Amino acid sequence: MINFSEPEEIKEVLASLDRFIEVEIKPLEKKFAKELEDERYLYDENGYFTKEIQEALKDVRMKSANAGFYTMFGMPELGGNGDQFGPVAVALIYESLTKKYGENLFVDEIFPVGLFTGGLTPVLLGLQDELKEKMLPELASGESLLCFGLSEPEAGSDVWSMKTKAVKDGDHWVINGTKQWITNSPYADYAMIFAITDLELVANRKGGISTFLVPFDGETCVNSSVIPYLGSIGSRIGTISLDNARVHESYIIGELHDGFGAALHGVDIGRVVMAAQCVGTAQWALDIALDYAKQRKTFGVTIENHQAVQMQFAECAMDIYAGRNMLLHCAWKMENQEKLPLKEISMIKAFTTEMGFRVVDRCMQICGGMGLTNEMELEKAWRHMRATRVPDGTAEIQRRTIARRLLKGDQSFN
Ligand SMILES: Cc1cc2nc3c(=O)[nH]c(=O)nc-3n(C[C@H](O)[C@H](O)[C@H](O)COP(=O)(O)OP(=O)(O)OC[C@H]3O[C@@H](n4cnc5c(N)ncnc54)[C@H](O)[C@@H]3O)c2cc1C
């Protein structure tokens, strides 16, 4: 029998997280109220977070690591507590946090493994032993930040069309190319870079792409621009330029010519996190809209009395219930079944990201003009939900995977 009620240990984690947020995050929200309210103070003229904000985000990361939150979903082999907190716990904790705190820049820093590029991301399992020993302390403490450099200007969904190449030179590799849309690259210390190491294998789509850990050295590997999107004047996303970047062969992650093998370690849990954030954000938005509808009057009554508004609430509730149960069932399967439920992981990624957008959009509509202002923060959530439909495999690529699984005989919905 599947039981999705929050187990005691998760309630305890959530209670201590609440205390942590009260003590460490709330004062930052006060200190940076002006920056959080107005992007002109949050970003500098090139679209980077200001130095002060960057320092505050790092400080949160390090305090979160010190309190044990930052590494709690990390694999035990990497020194984390992932044996106690599997996909169901990941889903419940992220959902709960987003439902309560909505779009909170500083809370986002607590569990970076959500992006499968921060903290003790499972991708680090592929590091060679010596490098693992050297790197883990600085990554686990939040001192250093990683990013995941796969996409390129001409290679998004179709990763095989990448152009970045690494050429062997003695016991080093020399990498040239450009990576685009890379989350955290403007602020990262290291990039996981995917590059072609064997053209023939790539041509036959049989491998030939390797993953390298490349330090941002300010010369041969740099973040060359920030990419503002969806109306923002800055972002966490950037472009990486690699110009004869030399890395020792011990910096290869996973097997040579099998870069995707290492990368896939992190992708699935990243999708659970994204789905949980969408399910939590949808509930956060619905709470706001329900409160508003009980106060705002039109035609002599509060708008909660209008049937057209009630119908929108009902649509939101059906969406959230479906998305939440899909998510938890899929997380339960990941935890309890031998084979990864690939069809279901794609279904939750596609469904919850679209669901989150629909729900926040309806809630904005219910709040009328107020819903569009940044005072209610719904528009920030709306932009975030809209963005989730592209990274980590677009909604169309997820449908492609679902259909392929069905056609291969994976027709079970148990
Ligand atoms: C906010 C954000 C964060 C990101 N973070 C990272 C990151 O950290 N690291 C990283 O490496 N990348 C990152 N990306 C890149 C992201 O993975 C790509 O944008 C995504 O894979 C889509 O690639 P594309 O933008 O080149 O679109 P394209 O691949 O050019 O696709 C364009 C359109 O065609 C559709 N399409 C393409 N192929 C098919 C097909 N076979 N069948 C049906 N439809 C298809 C797509 O669904 C899409 O609608 C991020 C992107 C965003 C927006």
Side-chain angles (χ1 to χ4, degrees):
M1 166 90 173
I2 307 175
N3 177 359
F4 293 140
S5 55
E6 276 168 11
E8 266 325 299
E9 64 271 22
I10 292 188
K11 284 189 188 144
E12 281 166 24
V13 170
L14 289 171
S16 49
L17 263 168
D18 269 343
R19 285 193 294 276
F20 180 80
I21 289 168
E22 205 51 51
V23 174
E24 302 294 350
I25 308 278
K26 294 284 173 194
L28 285 176
E29 279 178 33
K30 267 198 195 138
K31 181 174 172 194
F32 292 108
K34 190 172 82 176
E35 286 82 350
L36 294 174
E37 206 160 277
D38 187 339
E39 285 196 345
R40 283 171 300 178
Y41 302 106
L42 188 65
Y43 298 109
D44 68 17
E45 66 279 10
N46 296 316
Y48 289 79
F49 285 129
T50 63
K51 285 277 171 279
E52 246 194 324
I53 290 287
Q54 287 187 43
E55 276 162 22
L57 291 171
K58 182 171 176 180
D59 194 38
V60 170
R61 264 197 333 258
M62 294 190 73
K63 283 183 171 146
S64 165
N66 205 25
F69 300 125
Y70 194 71
T71 50
M72 68 181 287
F73 298 133
M75 307 286 219
E77 301 93 302
L78 298 171
N81 304 100
D83 44 349
Q84 289 169 49
F85 299 103
V88 174
V90 170
L92 286 171
I93 292 175
Y94 266 101
E95 179 210 11
S96 185
L97 217 57
T98 329
K99 182 180 169 197
K100 188 157 181 189
Y101 297 103
E103 297 288 317
N104 187 311
L105 179 69
F106 294 110
V107 171
D108 267 5
E109 287 305 300
I110 300 175
F111 294 132
V113 90
L115 294 164
F116 65 85
T117 60
L120 293 178
T121 165
V123 183
L124 298 175
L125 287 172
L127 283 182
Q128 299 178 33
D129 284 342
E130 210 174 294
L131 196 58
K132 214 185 270 173
E133 239 168 71
K134 177 172 168 248
M135 298 296 306
L136 288 186
E138 58 177 297
L139 291 170
S141 67
E143 171 71 41
S144 294
L145 193 60
L146 268 172
C147 64
F148 184 85
L150 176 62
S151 305
E152 299 185 2
E154 289 175 63
S157 307
D158 182 10
V159 288
W160 289 102
S161 55
M162 79 167 54
K163 302 280 181 288
T164 300
K165 284 191 190 67
V167 177
K168 192 111 201 278
D169 180 18
D171 53 6
H172 281 70
W173 288 83
V174 180
I175 311 175
N176 281 288
T178 303
K179 297 290 175 181
Q180 187 168 280
W181 314 115
I182 311 305
T183 306
N184 277 340
S185 68
Y187 315 106
D189 303 282
Y190 300 93
M192 293 177 240
I193 294 291
F194 293 78
I196 296 174
T197 42
D198 186 320
L199 273 171
E200 207 177 309
L201 286 175
V202 172
N204 296 317
R205 301 208 160 192
K206 290 208 162 137
I209 290 172
S210 307
T211 316
F212 298 86
L213 184 76
V214 187
F216 282 94
D217 60 6
E219 279 179 37
T220 63
C221 173
V222 293
N223 183 77
S224 48
S225 70
V226 175
I227 309 173
Y229 63 104
L230 283 171
S232 265
I233 59 171
S235 82
R236 285 179 189 258
I237 294 168
T239 308
I240 304 176
S241 302
L242 296 136
D243 182 12
N244 286 325
R246 280 178 75 82
V247 286
H248 191 261
E249 58 191 1
S250 61
Y251 279 60
I252 290 177
I253 303 177
E255 297 294 319
L256 183 66
H257 306 318
D258 182 25
F260 294 142
L264 289 177
H265 277 310
V267 170
D268 298 314
I269 199 68
R271 289 181 180 156
V272 169
V273 170
M274 194 184 275
Q277 287 176 325
C278 292
V279 170
T281 301
Q283 292 173 72
W284 167 84
L286 181 58
D287 287 348
I288 292 176
L290 282 166
D291 276 352
Y292 188 79
K294 287 177 190 159
Q295 288 160 28
R296 175 72 179 166
K297 280 190 179 166
T298 65
F299 301 94
V301 293
T302 48
I303 60 172
E304 66 187 321
N305 291 292
H306 301 310
Q307 201 179 35
V309 173
Q310 291 175 3
M311 293 301 107
Q312 296 191 70
F313 281 135
E315 296 291 338
C316 289
M318 290 190 285
D319 257 344
I320 293 170
Y321 190 61
R324 183 170 197 273
N325 282 289
M326 269 173 92
L327 163 66
L328 292 176
H329 189 248
C330 174
W332 177 86
K333 282 181 111 162
M334 289 168 80
E335 213 162 288
N336 291 283
Q337 295 186 353
E338 211 175 296
K339 281 194 174 163
L340 262 185
L342 297 175
K343 169 169 100 287
E344 287 75 9
I345 292 172
S346 281
M347 289 200 287
I348 61 162
K349 173 26 173 104
F351 185 85
T352 58
T353 52
E354 291 174 358
M355 178 282 288
F357 180 75
R358 279 196 299 272
V359 169
V360 174
D361 190 64
R362 282 190 207 109
C363 293
M364 281 173 89
Q365 188 67 15
I366 289 167
C367 296
M370 280 305 291
L372 303 180
T373 64
N374 46 13
E375 195 178 322
M376 294 189 96
E377 295 193 343
L378 284 167
E379 57 85 31
K380 208 160 143 205
W382 186 82
R383 286 189 277 147
H384 180 200
M385 291 297 102
R386 180 62 190 83
T388 58
R389 287 156 57 190
V390 174
D392 237 356
T394 65
E396 293 71 33
I397 293 300
Q398 302 304 334
R399 283 175 170 80
R400 182 173 176 257
T401 304
I402 297 163
R404 287 182 158 194
R405 298 294 307 165
L406 288 170
L407 292 164
K408 277 190 180 161
D410 177 3
Q411 287 157 262
S412 160
F413 293 96
N414 294 336

